[in-house]
Amino acid sequence: MDRRLKNSIYYRQKPTHSITKPKSKRPHRYLLEEAKKLREKVAFFSIIIFLVLAVYSLFYSEFFTLKNIAIDSTADINKEEAEDSIKSILASNFALILPQDNYFLFNKNYFRKKFQEQYSLNDLEIDKKYPDYIFFKVVEKVGQSLWVANEQAYLINLEGQVVRELPPDQLTSAKIPVIYDLSNNQVEVKDKVIEQRTLDLIIALYKNFESYQIPVVKIDYFKIDNPRANYIKLVAEQGFEIHFNTILPLEKQIYKLKRSLEAGKVDLNKIIYINLRISDQVIYR
């Protein structure tokens, strides 16, 4: 065989290694992938919309707004005024964005703190009823007093601090000590208007006067000449005054008063005042 022909056959039979091009995707596979991506987007946005609607429905819709308010109070407070205060706090936001009038977001601790800035309470019970009812039981602290200055009445707490203004008609129905400031100083809420020892003396007299068994005398109200005075004037229902101070022990002053009245030295129908502020003396006019 011709050598050139033999070489030609040899080269034609030698295996070759070629790289084949990948087959292109068929059109229906592209459509399936696009449909899958579309379904994922639709599902994602559906979840977002559902969550937004759920949040709005639960936290911001009228359905879960605490709008039915009931108050049970053992305290001497104005229920209409208390309800206005409750509505004002409910209309505020805790942590700036959480509405307090929402059934789920209502924060009892936040509410108590805000409410007790206006009212000095011994207890405040709060109960919610699904979906929009809220119940308050208010128990005010024993020992509060009414402070009267410039013809305006204020409630003061056990520390002598003004809690809030009161309507004038509560003066006649008050079951707590009423104290008139004869200096008529200007008063603002949260002001401390009386010395602690002076207020303690007034509260002790108001609570325990009947137990001292003072003949005939009954307390009407109290007066002080100024907030820093170390003495007080107890005004009896008969119109005369009894002057006590914060320096002498109260028991000693009460003893002097009882001894004078029992000895018949004082005619309560004719006197203007009885002064017990001087040690071992009873001065009356």
Side-chain angles (χ1 to χ4, degrees):
M1 182 182 293
D2 187 8
R3 186 172 182 178
R4 286 179 297 176
L5 179 60
K6 184 177 180 181
N7 289 338
S8 174
I9 294 173
Y10 172 78
Y11 285 116
R12 280 201 302 268
Q13 292 178 346
K14 188 177 181 180
T16 58
H17 299 281
S18 62
I19 300 175
T20 59
K21 293 183 179 180
K23 296 181 179 179
S24 62
K25 292 182 180 179
R26 295 180 181 179
H28 75 276
R29 294 186 62 185
Y30 282 112
L31 293 175
L32 288 174
E33 290 183 2
E34 290 297 324
K36 182 180 178 182
K37 291 180 180 179
L38 180 60
R39 285 196 300 270
E40 289 175 350
K41 289 182 179 179
V42 170
F44 174 77
F45 286 109
S46 296
I47 292 172
I48 295 297
I49 293 171
F50 173 79
L51 290 176
V52 170
L53 292 175
V55 169
Y56 176 81
S57 299
L58 291 175
F59 305 138
Y60 296 97
S61 71
E62 288 292 321
F63 186 74
F64 297 107
T65 298
L66 296 169
K67 49 185 175 285
N68 293 314
I69 300 170
I71 304 172
D72 178 19
S73 175
T74 61
D76 187 18
I77 65 173
N78 186 300
K79 285 192 176 182
E80 291 184 2
E81 181 183 306
E83 186 171 339
D84 288 341
S85 296
I86 289 171
K87 289 179 179 178
S88 176
I89 298 171
L90 289 176
S92 65
N93 290 335
F94 174 67
L96 300 179
I97 60 172
L98 304 178
Q100 283 304 284
D101 60 358
N102 177 265
Y103 179 86
F104 300 105
L105 297 178
F106 177 78
N107 186 301
K108 288 185 179 181
N109 292 333
Y110 172 81
F111 183 91
R112 281 196 179 93
K113 179 182 177 182
K114 288 292 183 181
F115 196 73
Q116 288 186 334
E117 289 177 358
Q118 306 172 53
Y119 297 88
S120 183
L121 304 176
N122 190 47
D123 193 17
L124 175 62
E125 297 178 9
I126 304 172
D127 188 25
K128 298 183 298 179
K129 297 295 183 183
Y130 182 85
D132 59 3
Y133 180 90
I134 188 164
F135 172 81
F136 298 90
K137 184 174 181 181
V138 180
V139 181
E140 206 158 20
K141 283 185 178 178
V142 177
Q144 294 188 123
S145 305
L146 284 178
W147 182 264
V148 184
N150 293 309
E151 300 182 353
Q152 174 61 54
Y154 304 87
L155 183 71
I156 62 174
N157 61 22
L158 294 170
E159 289 74 43
Q161 188 179 47
V162 175
V163 177
R164 66 181 188 277
E165 291 188 16
L166 293 173
D169 59 4
Q170 291 203 17
L171 287 173
T172 57
S173 61
K175 298 178 182 179
I176 55 178
V178 178
I179 308 167
Y180 284 82
D181 175 16
L182 301 183
S183 67
N184 285 321
N185 287 322
Q186 293 295 323
V187 175
E188 300 290 341
V189 174
K190 297 186 179 181
D191 283 353
K192 184 174 176 62
V193 293
I194 186 172
E195 295 291 330
Q196 188 66 56
R197 60 183 181 177
T198 308
L199 181 58
D200 290 344
L201 175 61
I202 290 173
I203 292 175
L205 282 166
Y206 186 84
K207 285 184 176 180
N208 304 316
F209 198 76
E210 288 187 6
S211 68
Y212 297 138
Q213 298 180 340
I214 307 295
V216 184
V217 181
K218 290 186 177 181
I219 296 175
D220 191 3
Y221 58 91
F222 298 89
K223 298 192 296 187
I224 63 170
D225 288 336
N226 63 75
R228 290 188 172 82
N230 63 1
Y231 60 92
I232 60 125
K233 299 174 181 179
L234 182 159
V235 180
E237 289 183 353
Q238 295 93 325
F240 62 85
E241 300 174 357
I242 305 175
H243 300 176
F244 297 85
N245 67 23
T246 60
I247 300 172
L248 296 175
L250 177 57
E251 290 75 14
K252 183 176 182 178
Q253 297 177 77
I254 291 293
Y255 174 76
K256 289 192 301 177
L257 177 62
K258 285 186 67 174
R259 189 177 62 179
S260 298
L261 294 177
E262 291 170 352
K265 296 180 181 180
V266 182
D267 185 351
L268 298 180
N269 295 316
K270 296 180 180 179
I271 64 169
I272 298 174
Y273 65 80
I274 303 172
N275 188 349
L276 306 172
R277 294 161 51 194
I278 301 175
S279 181
D280 300 322
Q281 292 187 47
V282 177
I283 300 173
Y284 55 90
R285 177 184 172 190

